[in-house]
Amino acid sequence: MKLSKLAFENVKKSYKDYFIYFLTLMFSVCLFYTFNSFSSQKNIMELSESQAMSLQMVGLFMNMLSFFVVFVLAFLILYANNFLIRRRKKEFGIYMMLGMEKRDISKILIYETLFVGSLSLITGLILGIGCSQILGIVTAKGFGITVDYHIIFSFGAMLATILSFSAIFFILMLLNTRVIAKVKLIDLLQAKKKVEKIRINNPFVAVILLIISLICLGIAYWLTTYSLESFALSLAQIMLLGSIGTILFFVSLSGFLLQFMKLSKKIYYKKLNIYVLRQINAKINTTSISMGVVCLMLLLSIGALSCGLSLNASITKVYEQASAYPFTYHQDEPISEEDMKNLLILSDVDYYNTVTIYKDEHTINDILPYIDSRDAKDKMYRDAKVEYISLSDYNEAMRSQGKETMMLKDNEGFFISGFDEILSYLNEAGDKHIDYQLFGHDLKISNKKEDITILGTNFSPDVIVTMVVPDQVLAGQTSQVRYWNIEVDDAKLQPYIEKIEKNMYTYADEHKIEHYRFSGTSQKEVEDNVMGIGMLFTYIGLYLGIVFMISSAAILALQQLSEAEDSRANYEILRKIGTPEKMMNRSVLLQIGIYFLLPMGLAIIHSFIGVPAVSGAFGYMFGVSSMWKSNLMTGAIIVAIYGIYFIVTYHGYKTTLRRK
């Protein structure tokens, strides 16, 4: 029989053994193609220039991220391949006893890799092309544009996928050839008799390690939740302590788990629980480090999915807050007010107002010195320069936005901010009626503003720390920046912007204004930019989250299927002594369920601590929206992927036990 035909028969005969391997390869190919096909999605969309740039940015980041993802997938595929090789060592030993040379066995493995790899590559690409159609429609919906629908196909993404996975398969072939070349016949024949190394067998040592792991995790949790500053400054220590604590937890678990379960004789001796618990205990003992690593990968998956999805909602909220007018020009050039009115052609607009910004040398910490003793959330902006605007400018801006105006006494001032977190601390100064001196005027800070304030249209809230003061306080002072907030009909806006941009550059050339840059911002630009960044976070979260979830579930599945092969003899004995098939199936379900849930359970506990901290860090840039929707979507993705691998593992385990 030809070696290629023998390899094909092996794959066909052992398709159930290969199914998890094939499933993992197919999902990996599908993901890789889908998230690298952004460059072709523009073909079904009518994009503006800013939208095209945003989509290009997302595609560039996805391509860069794929360099990292391909290494993760390579590790996963190599691990899965190693599992298959270990299961077939006795088969290879029989081949050698029958006179087959090692190079022929290596060729069989090469042919098998080619068959399975080619099939998974083709299937994954077909599935990826289908998923990229859905992703294209979702992207278009995110930009709020119509779709000129036709089939999306990215030749570049297909080529990158084929080259990347071909390289991985080539490495597999080399490693398999090396394994066969170095192995001895006696090792192949006795592979199943080798006992896996027991790590912890002493309950006292296990309890000590458990205490150490809990201390490490406790310190990591404390550093994460104490303050944003401690989280940012101690991130490396948190990751190190968290990793050590997680791995030690699983290393110690097998040393006391069985003893702990024995305390409840009702549970321990019920049906086949005694056998199931001993099986789980033994497996955790020999795979504790890999279970710890799986737990950390699950944490990364949950974090990436939850944060990525919630940040999209937060960024959308920022757009709604940061674009108060159809167009805002931010003037920091030394141009007179009369010239600016002419350059901006204000006679052609429907409405305009101006907000003039003044500054002095004061920082927020000068006004609120108690901030140094407070939690780090307050400290983030303690060195920010305080800006000032007149009451009349503030009230005109509020009137144009349909918001409430304010009144001030001659010696009063109040804080405004575009960030909820900062405003709450600034208002504490108002509650204390702190005295403050500005440009020779004695002021008392009062608490007037309860909600955030936006003074113009920008890519992010333009008001960090600003004080509104009576007009006479700022009389005669030199302004730093002036916002020209302009309302123009949507149909006329883009031609209007192009016209004034030309005016401004011409004026800058004539008056020798060096390094001039047009600093006008429209609502449409902000919307497209924000949508692009939101999609970027969402797709990064989905890409990394799903990759790590597949990797974690596949590793657990392969470990359990390996256990099934070793447990066949035990279950055969149970069958001979009359144990009902239903009871044995239940024991398999319980064993796999506990094995899958242990690392997931600890990862969920970690995520309750870590995800809010990461979201809080991003909150200073984008704000933090309610996370219940993103957590719900994260849960659905986890249940779908984890559930698929769990079901396949359960049926694969039962099939292995029934095999004669």
Side-chain angles (χ1 to χ4, degrees):
M1 181 183 291
K2 289 184 179 180
L3 295 178
S4 58
K5 187 175 181 181
L6 178 60
F8 180 75
E9 291 297 325
N10 284 344
V11 172
K12 190 167 70 171
K13 180 183 66 177
S14 307
Y15 76 94
K16 291 181 180 178
D17 291 339
Y18 275 102
F19 189 68
I20 284 285
Y21 182 56
F22 170 76
L23 188 70
T24 302
L25 285 175
M26 183 186 69
F27 280 156
S28 300
V29 171
C30 172
L31 271 177
F32 196 85
Y33 173 86
T34 300
F35 284 99
N36 281 276
S37 64
F38 276 93
S39 59
S40 297
Q41 290 185 11
K42 63 179 183 291
N43 297 333
I44 65 168
M45 307 177 199
E46 296 179 4
L47 298 169
S48 66
E49 184 178 350
S50 57
Q51 289 170 337
M53 288 178 63
S54 295
L55 189 62
Q56 185 179 8
M57 175 189 68
V58 173
L60 180 62
F61 270 90
M62 290 296 104
N63 292 338
M64 292 169 60
L65 194 60
S66 292
F67 283 104
F68 167 73
V69 168
V70 77
F71 283 104
V72 176
L73 295 177
F75 163 78
L76 174 62
I77 293 168
L78 291 172
Y79 185 93
N81 176 76
N82 192 39
F83 154 77
L84 289 173
I85 294 297
R86 285 202 310 270
R87 284 188 74 162
R88 299 180 62 196
K89 280 187 174 180
K90 187 175 180 181
E91 176 190 337
F92 298 149
I94 294 172
Y95 285 159
M96 290 176 67
M97 287 182 65
L98 293 173
M100 186 177 289
E101 296 184 9
K102 287 184 177 181
R103 65 169 179 268
D104 291 333
I105 298 175
S106 297
K107 288 179 182 178
I108 291 174
L109 287 175
I110 289 172
Y111 285 130
E112 289 178 5
T113 302
L114 286 173
F115 291 146
V116 177
S118 299
L119 183 61
S120 60
L121 194 58
I122 293 169
T123 310
L125 281 172
I126 293 171
L127 188 61
I129 291 170
C131 289
S132 67
Q133 314 304 308
I134 299 172
L135 196 65
I137 294 171
V138 171
T139 302
K141 185 178 179 182
F143 278 122
I145 57 178
T146 56
V147 176
D148 177 21
Y149 184 75
H150 54 271
I151 297 296
I152 304 170
F153 177 73
S154 174
F155 179 78
M158 184 190 72
L159 186 62
T161 304
I162 292 174
L163 290 176
S164 298
F165 283 87
S166 295
I168 294 172
F169 294 146
F170 180 72
I171 294 170
L172 281 184
M173 294 174 189
L174 293 179
L175 290 177
N176 289 343
T177 301
R178 184 172 179 270
V179 167
I180 296 300
K182 293 182 68 176
V183 77
K184 296 178 181 178
L185 176 60
I186 190 66
D187 293 331
L188 292 174
L189 294 175
Q190 295 184 347
K192 290 188 178 181
K193 297 181 182 180
K194 290 187 176 181
V195 180
E196 292 178 293
K197 185 179 178 181
I198 303 296
R199 299 187 185 279
I200 299 293
N201 205 24
N202 188 324
F204 178 75
V205 174
V207 171
I208 296 297
L209 289 178
L210 176 64
I211 292 170
I212 295 172
S213 76
L214 294 177
I215 291 171
C216 289
L217 291 176
I219 295 172
Y221 288 173
W222 181 79
L223 290 172
T224 302
T225 57
Y226 177 71
S227 71
L228 188 56
E229 188 173 46
S230 69
F231 174 68
L233 295 177
S234 308
L235 186 58
Q237 294 93 314
I238 291 169
M239 293 173 66
L240 180 62
L241 287 168
S243 300
I244 292 172
T246 300
I247 291 172
L248 285 181
F249 177 82
F250 285 101
V251 170
S252 65
L253 190 62
S254 62
F256 70 87
L257 178 63
L258 202 58
Q259 302 300 323
F260 178 76
M261 294 305 301
K262 283 181 179 179
L263 296 177
S264 176
K265 290 182 171 55
K266 186 177 180 181
I267 296 175
Y268 186 69
Y269 291 108
K270 184 179 180 181
K271 297 183 179 179
L272 292 179
N273 286 0
I274 184 172
Y275 175 73
V276 172
L277 291 170
R278 287 184 175 275
Q279 286 284 93
I280 294 171
N281 192 71
K283 195 63 181 177
I284 292 174
N285 207 323
T286 56
T287 61
S288 53
I289 293 178
S290 65
M291 284 192 77
V293 172
V294 165
C295 178
L296 294 172
M297 287 199 299
L298 287 170
L299 172 61
L300 289 174
S301 176
I302 294 169
L305 288 168
S306 184
C307 290
L309 294 170
S310 66
L311 281 170
N312 186 22
S314 298
I315 291 169
T316 303
K317 181 182 175 183
V318 167
Y319 159 69
E320 295 171 354
Q321 295 174 346
S323 53
Y325 301 95
F327 179 77
T328 295
Y329 186 85
H330 304 82
Q331 180 200 349
D332 57 2
E333 306 87 14
I335 305 176
S336 68
E337 184 175 349
E338 195 59 37
D339 283 347
M340 282 300 300
K341 288 180 179 179
N342 293 327
L343 291 169
L344 296 175
I345 323 175
L346 296 181
S347 57
D348 290 353
V349 305
D350 300 328
Y351 167 84
Y352 79 93
N353 68 62
T354 60
V355 178
T356 306
I357 309 294
Y358 299 85
K359 291 183 181 180
D360 69 352
E361 295 304 314
H362 288 97
T363 65
I364 185 174
N365 198 46
D366 296 328
I367 307 170
L368 309 177
Y370 68 90
I371 232 170
D372 263 334
S373 64
R374 292 181 57 84
D375 200 5
K377 282 188 175 182
D378 316 29
K379 296 181 180 181
M380 293 295 288
Y381 291 98
R382 63 175 179 237
D383 295 323
K385 289 289 181 67
V386 180
E387 298 177 336
Y388 309 93
I389 66 171
S390 67
L391 179 63
S392 60
D393 279 358
Y394 172 81
N395 282 337
E396 180 60 28
M398 294 303 100
R399 269 192 293 271
S400 67
Q401 296 176 36
K403 296 181 179 179
E404 183 183 359
T405 59
M406 296 289 185
M407 295 181 65
L408 284 175
K409 297 177 183 178
D410 290 344
N411 66 337
E412 276 189 327
F414 65 91
F415 282 120
I416 59 174
S417 177
F419 296 85
D420 286 313
E421 296 86 355
I422 300 174
L423 187 62
S424 63
Y425 299 123
L426 294 176
N427 280 340
E428 289 188 23
D431 292 334
K432 296 179 180 180
H433 297 286
I434 292 175
D435 294 327
Y436 182 60
Q437 189 174 72
L438 174 66
F439 302 135
H441 294 261
D442 293 323
L443 299 174
K444 189 179 290 291
I445 301 173
S446 61
N447 188 352
K448 295 276 188 180
K449 191 71 174 174
E450 298 293 339
D451 54 352
I452 63 170
T453 301
I454 300 299
L455 297 176
T457 294
N458 208 340
F459 291 110
S460 62
D462 49 14
V463 184
I464 298 176
V465 182
T466 301
M467 184 184 289
V468 181
V469 298
D471 290 26
Q472 64 269 22
V473 174
L474 301 176
Q477 301 301 320
T478 303
S479 64
Q480 300 291 322
V481 179
R482 178 172 288 169
Y483 298 159
W484 296 82
N485 297 316
I486 297 168
E487 292 187 4
V488 181
D489 184 75
D490 287 345
K492 300 177 182 177
L493 182 58
Q494 191 55 42
Y496 169 78
I497 294 173
E498 292 172 1
K499 192 184 298 183
I500 65 169
E501 183 175 6
K502 182 178 179 181
N503 288 350
M504 295 301 300
Y505 276 109
T506 301
Y507 184 93
D509 289 340
E510 291 174 351
H511 292 78
K512 310 299 183 190
I513 300 177
E514 296 183 357
H515 311 299
Y516 172 76
R517 183 178 59 85
F518 184 75
S519 51
T521 309
S522 70
Q523 277 184 339
K524 184 60 177 172
E525 288 176 311
V526 173
E527 180 183 10
D528 293 343
N529 182 73
V530 166
M531 293 302 175
I533 296 174
M535 280 191 292
L536 178 62
F537 278 117
T538 299
Y539 291 154
I540 287 176
L542 286 172
Y543 198 8
L544 290 180
I546 294 175
V547 164
F548 282 120
M549 185 60 62
I550 288 175
S551 302
S552 304
I555 289 172
L556 293 174
L558 292 169
Q559 288 175 347
Q560 278 300 293
L561 290 174
S562 176
E563 174 71 21
E565 191 68 31
D566 299 334
S567 300
R568 280 174 59 194
N570 296 334
Y571 275 93
E572 190 60 36
I573 293 172
L574 289 173
R575 194 174 281 111
K576 286 179 179 178
I577 63 175
T579 305
E581 198 72 26
K582 185 178 180 180
M583 187 181 292
M584 288 193 289
N585 289 341
R586 178 187 170 278
S587 73
V588 170
L589 183 66
L590 183 63
Q591 177 180 325
I592 297 173
I594 293 173
Y595 198 77
F596 269 65
L597 287 176
L598 275 174
M600 177 59 79
L602 186 56
I604 290 173
I605 294 172
H606 288 347
S607 69
F608 283 146
I609 304 297
V611 170
V614 175
S615 297
F618 281 106
Y620 279 95
M621 290 183 287
F622 308 116
V624 181
S625 296
S626 173
M627 296 186 67
W628 72 268
K629 286 184 180 179
S630 62
N631 290 340
L632 193 64
M633 291 180 67
T634 299
I637 293 170
I638 290 171
V639 169
I641 297 174
Y642 222 57
I644 288 172
Y645 274 92
F646 176 82
I647 292 169
V648 171
T649 305
Y650 173 61
H651 286 288
Y653 201 113
K654 289 197 302 180
T655 301
T656 301
L657 295 181
R658 293 194 188 104
R659 191 180 300 156
K660 300 297 183 181

